[in-house]
Amino acid sequence: MIKNVGIIGSGTMGSGIAQVAATAGCMVKLYDTKQAALDKSKAALEKILNRLIQKGRIDEAEKERIQGNISYVNTLKDLRDSDLTIEAIIENLDIKQKVFSELETYVSDDAIIASNTSSLSIASIASSLQKPERCIGIHFFNPAPLMKLVEVIPAIQTSKEVLEKATQTIADWKKVVAVAKDTPGFIVNRVARPFYGESLRIYEEGLADFETIDNALKTLGKFRMGPFELMDFIGNDVNYTVTETVFTAFYFDSRYKPSFTQKRLSEAGYLGRKTGKGYYDYDENGKRVTLSADIERSQNTDSHNSELSQQIFNRVLVMLINEAADALFLNIASAEDIDNAMTKGVNYPKGLLAWADEKGIDWCVKTLDDLYDEYHEDRYRCSPLLRKMNRQKTKFFN
Ligand SMILES: NC(=O)c1ccc[n+]([C@@H]2O[C@H](COP(=O)([O-])OP(=O)(O)OC[C@H]3O[C@@H](n4cnc5c(N)ncnc54)[C@H](O)[C@@H]3O)[C@@H](O)[C@H]2O)c1
């Protein structure tokens, strides 16, 4: 089992990953170029652990054990004993490559060097190393201590041993592993695109307002948050950038086309909760400000338009299913890992492939074909896998 873990970058993700590794019993060295970031990380951990004590989840001794397992360091060289280093610094290829090639001069020959990147290819990061076979993607979700899923992404250079060791370590840290191919968005950030994109498209066509779309997905789909609430929560700048990055990385496949509506919000600084305004308005505590006119309008749409709500839900769901099926078709990950990724990484109420089985593969194909017939747009093309399964009358899970 891996004992010494180095973490580079003590921001949101690095701090969370350090907590996870320290809780699992690893000796963690957390490095950042900024002393203020290290101090902030230390103070934040103290607060989190105190809250866990208050809730009765851990005791004082456990808090001390976790804190005792983390040391805060301010040179990269301090990570030289690390058997595994996970980098969580700024999302910039040049900077990551420089840090990786410097780190490699300090660590032992069989040390694993991993990146938590969300959008860069692992192959491009690995290429900065003398021994690229030691590099792998280990992608946590925010907040890392709470989200069960970790995507593990071997690059084409990664050795089998490194993949096995990384997968085992993440399982030892009590996380659910989904192994993904080194492709844009890995699993979650690719498969989730239609949740936002199709909802925005429905809005842009003037079929429904934000509230009606959110309500349809929450009531009929049992999603915890509607797409517009979620985009406001994530930040329209962040969510737009992910979409644009995925769209570009897929050589402009129209299925991932970003939306002008979201771009304008982002340009206007209507970023969501963090700026007090996005698709909705928020007070200074980040709570939704609901105007009475909104309530009246949403009650009207709810009672008069259950058929519209069903249409909205079906359309977003089938696009998500199509994306999940296509990810399986293109061997991005196994069916189990694709479903686990969405339920454990972004809290979907059901795995999308299991959902497809439940709705019927014939329903999925027909709903997609109807959309394609109506729009004649490539974004509605049905995955060849769904079509084949429909012909052969098979399901994803038996
Ligand atoms: N925030 C998320 O939801 C999320 C989720 C998954 C993955 N990621 C990925 O994780 C990485 C970090 O994201 P974050 O949100 O934690 O960022 P952040 O801005 O909160 O933290 C980054 C930290 O890295 C430090 N840093 C910058 N350059 C450095 C260097 N050369 N050496 C050492 N430290 C350096 C900064 O001082 C800062 O403290 C990115 O690659 C991002 O794509 C983010």
Side-chain angles (χ1 to χ4, degrees), residues 131-256:
K131 287 164 71 72
E133 63 275 14
R134 63 160 91 214
C135 185
I136 192 159
I138 300 186
H139 185 226
F140 284 79
F141 290 79
N142 188 18
L146 296 184
M147 301 307 286
K148 280 259 148 234
L149 182 79
V150 177
E151 292 176 330
V152 172
I153 309 109
I156 45 173
Q157 302 101 314
T158 309
S159 74
K160 237 176 141 186
E161 295 71 41
V162 167
L163 172 61
E164 274 163 20
K165 236 174 165 177
T167 309
Q168 186 56 49
T169 302
I170 299 305
D172 290 342
W173 293 0
K174 308 232 165 34
K175 294 289 180 189
V176 174
V177 175
V179 177
K181 221 184 206 176
D182 186 14
T183 46
F186 311 132
I187 306 172
V188 169
N189 281 335
R190 169 195 194 129
V191 175
R193 297 304 357 121
F195 191 63
Y196 316 107
E198 201 54 25
S199 303
L200 279 156
R201 172 65 191 257
I202 289 167
Y203 165 77
E204 284 170 357
E205 283 180 28
L207 291 178
D209 58 18
F210 306 136
E211 187 105 38
T212 306
I213 300 170
D214 276 351
N215 283 340
L217 283 148
K218 284 191 293 183
T219 52
L220 299 173
K222 303 277 178 289
F223 286 92
R224 282 195 203 168
M225 288 172 101
F228 295 99
E229 288 172 323
L230 188 52
M231 285 184 274
D232 271 357
F233 180 76
I234 295 168
N236 282 303
D237 50 342
V238 174
N239 188 263
Y240 179 82
T241 304
V242 176
T243 308
E244 197 178 43
T245 308
V246 170
F247 178 57
T248 310
F250 275 111
Y251 309 113
F252 308 103
D253 184 333
S254 62
R255 226 163 50 200
Y256 307 105

Side-chain angles (χ1 to χ4, degrees), residues 53-105:
I53 292 178
Q54 273 169 14
K55 287 188 185 165
R57 303 255 189 89
I58 60 169
D59 57 17
E60 194 65 43
E62 175 68 354
K63 173 185 160 185
E64 274 172 31
R65 184 187 71 87
I66 296 169
Q67 284 178 318
N69 284 352
I70 305 181
S71 39
Y72 298 82
V73 301
N74 45 28
T75 72
L76 193 54
K77 203 172 178 180
D78 288 321
L79 304 188
R80 62 186 173 276
D81 293 335
S82 304
D83 307 307
L84 164 68
T85 301
I86 303 177
E87 163 277 315
I89 65 169
I90 182 173
E91 191 75 333
N92 175 304
L93 181 61
D94 278 352
I95 300 178
K96 284 190 199 284
Q97 285 183 332
K98 277 196 194 99
V99 171
F100 270 51
S101 54
E102 185 188 337
L103 177 71
E104 194 176 31
T105 63

Side-chain angles (χ1 to χ4, degrees), residues 8-14 31-34 37 87-91 95-96 99 116-119 139-142:
I8 311 178
S10 67
T12 311
M13 296 309 293
Y31 161 67
D32 203 289
T33 41
K34 293 200 184 107
E87 163 277 315
I89 65 169
I90 182 173
E91 191 75 333
I95 300 178
K96 284 190 199 284
V99 171
N116 186 53
T117 181
S118 296
S119 64
H139 185 226
F140 284 79
F141 290 79
N142 188 18

Side-chain angles (χ1 to χ4, degrees), residues 295-314:
I295 297 173
E296 210 173 294
R297 201 188 43 225
S298 105
Q299 278 167 349
N300 280 339
T301 42
D302 271 6
S303 54
H304 290 117
N305 273 329
S306 56
E307 202 179 306
L308 174 65
S309 298
Q310 192 67 52
Q311 256 176 33
I312 294 167
F313 167 59
N314 286 349

